[in-house]
Amino acid sequence: MAMDIDEVLVLQQQQQDQVFSHGDDTDVFLATFVALNAFGMAVCAVLCVLASHVKLANLALFLPYPVLCGFFSSVGLSIWMSSFKVDTGITVPHFWGSEHRLFS
């Protein structure tokens, strides 16, 4: 019985591989990317409008300027490190060496 189930699963996997192996997946990737990007932008816009109506920007007045600068600097550094890895395939600590104190 187990052999029959394994055989059926292998056949199903082979059929799925044949279905998905036809053609170039670039169109599917681009369509998915555009749809997810549009959805993310719409959600961001709704949240920004909601935050403006609730006056959430006033909460920033309670945070000191150095705290806000440090937060946004760390966000920028994280984005830069992630994009560096995507562009080159090398992580920043590996690029600078492990002796660098910032990443140890």
Side-chain angles (χ1 to χ4, degrees):
M1 174 113 174
M3 297 283 288
D4 295 333
I5 294 173
D6 286 341
E7 187 176 319
V8 170
L9 290 175
V10 168
L11 288 174
Q12 286 178 350
Q13 183 65 34
Q14 288 174 353
Q15 289 173 353
Q16 287 178 353
D17 290 343
Q18 289 175 356
V19 169
F20 291 119
S21 65
H22 295 300
D24 190 16
D25 289 338
T26 305
D27 295 337
V28 174
F29 171 74
L30 288 177
T32 305
F33 177 77
V34 168
L36 289 176
N37 210 1
F39 176 73
M41 289 175 63
V43 168
C44 185
V46 167
L47 290 177
C48 285
V49 169
L50 182 67
S52 70
H53 286 300
V54 180
K55 308 277 190 215
L56 288 179
N58 292 334
L59 292 176
L61 297 175
F62 295 109
L63 295 173
Y65 181 75
V67 171
L68 289 175
C69 287
F71 173 75
F72 286 114
S73 297
S74 66
V75 168
L77 186 63
S78 298
I79 291 171
W80 177 78
M81 287 173 46
S82 297
S83 64
F84 187 81
K85 182 177 181 190
V86 168
D87 289 342
T88 63
I90 303 170
T91 59
V92 174
H94 184 265
F95 178 73
W96 274 340
S98 60
E99 70 275 354
H100 200 275
R101 306 243 334 139
L102 180 64
F103 302 108
S104 58

